[in-house]
Amino acid sequence: MLCVITLKKNELKLLQFTDIHIGQAPFSEEDQKTFAMIDRTLSKSDADLIVITGDLIWSDGVIEPTKGLEALAEIFNKYPIPLAITYGNHDSEESLTRHDLHDLEKKLFHNLAVKTNQFLDPNQKECFTIEVKDKDEIVNVLYFIDSGANALIDYESYDWVSLEQIQWYDETFANYQTIKPTKDLLFLHIPLPEYQQAGDRIVDGKFWEMNPRISAPKLNTGLFSHLLKNNHLLGTFCGHDHDNNFEGIYLDQRLIYGNVTGYNCYGDLPRGYRVIYLKCDQMKTSIKTFE
């Protein structure tokens, strides 16, 4: 079932899960704990939308990594909460491709939010928007950009947002401007390089990641400059660095980490998720931990 996202009581409540990192079946004690905590959270949640910002699974060296996706889908499908997914660097490292992930997403997950403006760059990295409506009028737009896995020309580095994806973003933003200017959110997995500057201007959360403190791509293709020029985002949200969950401000842009969700991966931060409240031109957010 495809779900249209509409405001309830003039506000939208989102949950951001990130870096779930389900491994190989039969699942470890850590993975079982991750399943249990997500299940418990959703059973008590009144969220209007769930966003997963990548690394749902491990795929490198994992036999039948699709079993991790199937197990996650079984939990999310229990609850009638719309879901939006963008992928991370560990989701398609070996036997799975981005194309495989897109097919599995449609096959496995039953309550997907309606995607608009879908686009695939030459490396099958998906961009899309989700429109938030109130009485059939668009009041906010959620942008999703797949930031990729490993850089294709430097396997020691993470991938970067491609020039084709930036062009998609600019054209999509311009089209929405002709309908109605809105205040919006952006979601991706790998942090933009400018998260480093935002780390010097933290307003909330922890900056515990080390060596490097921000695991951004080496190449800066300039997406942040376009976000700055368009000046419509209430926040940009990423995952990827398990020991960062801060919100920082750089050039008046709010650059925000989610909180690592899965137990089957490194990191000293308590596991949990981020809650986001979106109300027209205002956004509030905080971290919730499982324990």
Side-chain angles (χ1 to χ4, degrees):
M1 180 177 68
L2 295 178
C3 307
V4 176
I5 307 303
T6 57
L7 288 185
K8 298 176 183 177
K9 298 180 181 179
N10 297 317
E11 186 173 66
L12 192 77
K13 180 179 180 180
L14 301 86
L15 305 185
Q16 180 197 5
F17 295 98
T18 194
D19 297 85
I20 303 173
H21 283 293
I22 300 303
Q24 184 166 304
F27 300 113
S28 66
E29 181 179 341
E30 290 82 3
D31 283 339
Q32 297 290 357
K33 188 173 182 180
T34 300
F35 293 141
M37 291 301 183
I38 294 174
D39 197 356
R40 188 179 73 178
T41 298
L42 297 182
S43 71
K44 299 183 291 186
S45 178
D46 60 349
D48 304 303
L49 177 66
I50 297 166
V51 171
I52 305 178
T53 50
D55 284 359
L56 289 77
I57 59 172
W58 296 102
S59 59
D60 186 16
V62 172
I63 300 171
E64 295 186 290
T66 56
K67 290 187 178 296
L69 287 174
E70 291 168 0
L72 280 175
E74 186 175 340
I75 295 172
F76 285 105
N77 290 343
K78 288 171 61 177
Y79 304 99
I81 307 173
L83 176 66
I85 302 171
T86 188
Y87 294 99
N89 53 297
H90 288 293
D91 290 310
S92 62
E93 292 175 297
E94 194 169 298
S95 59
L96 291 178
T97 66
R98 280 316 204 239
H99 180 74
D100 294 331
L101 291 171
H102 301 153
D103 284 346
L104 285 164
E105 178 184 319
K106 289 180 286 188
K107 176 182 176 183
L108 297 177
F109 293 92
H110 297 166
N111 299 306
L112 294 172
V114 173
K115 297 179 181 180
T116 49
N117 301 296
Q118 284 181 271
F119 168 77
L120 294 175
D121 84 350
N123 293 310
Q124 296 294 299
K125 295 191 298 183
E126 183 186 33
C127 301
F128 62 93
T129 56
I130 291 176
E131 298 172 351
V132 181
K133 294 186 176 181
D134 185 17
K135 298 176 182 177
D136 295 325
E137 181 183 16
I138 298 172
V139 292
N140 301 100
V141 180
L142 312 181
Y143 290 75
F144 292 79
I145 295 179
D146 182 346
S147 53
N150 293 320
L152 297 178
I153 60 173
D154 179 2
Y155 289 102
E156 298 297 317
S157 174
Y158 294 110
D159 202 357
W160 40 77
V161 175
S162 67
L163 297 181
E164 292 89 350
Q165 289 175 302
I166 295 174
Q167 182 178 358
W168 167 86
Y169 159 72
D170 274 338
E171 292 175 353
T172 303
F173 169 76
N175 289 337
Y176 278 118
Q177 287 296 102
T178 66
I179 302 171
K180 176 186 174 182
T182 55
K183 292 296 184 181
D184 309 315
L185 306 179
L186 170 65
F187 296 92
L188 71 172
H189 179 70
I190 299 172
L192 301 177
E194 287 79 8
Y195 270 76
Q196 183 67 56
Q197 287 86 354
D200 296 328
R201 300 162 180 84
I202 292 176
V203 296
D204 191 39
K206 304 296 185 184
F207 192 7
W208 287 358
E209 194 81 22
M210 299 296 291
N211 300 320
R213 303 203 72 190
I214 302 290
S215 296
K218 291 180 181 178
L219 179 63
N220 190 338
T221 50
L223 175 60
F224 182 81
S225 65
H226 294 252
L227 305 181
L228 187 65
K229 174 178 178 290
N230 292 334
N231 194 31
H232 66 117
L233 294 180
L234 297 172
T236 295
F237 297 83
C238 74
H240 190 54
D241 290 336
H242 303 175
D243 272 330
N244 290 338
N245 68 359
F246 69 76
E247 174 184 350
I249 298 178
Y250 179 52
L251 298 180
D252 292 327
Q253 300 295 306
R254 297 170 71 179
L255 301 181
I256 305 169
Y257 274 97
N259 192 95
V260 59
T261 297
Y263 291 88
N264 189 15
C265 56
Y266 83 89
D268 294 324
L269 280 176
R271 271 40 180 172
Y273 55 98
R274 181 173 284 282
V275 181
I276 305 165
Y277 294 95
L278 181 60
K279 187 174 183 179
C280 193
D281 61 352
Q282 300 177 47
M283 186 271 291
K284 298 184 298 182
T285 183
S286 61
I287 294 295
K288 300 293 183 183
T289 56
F290 292 137
E291 299 174 345

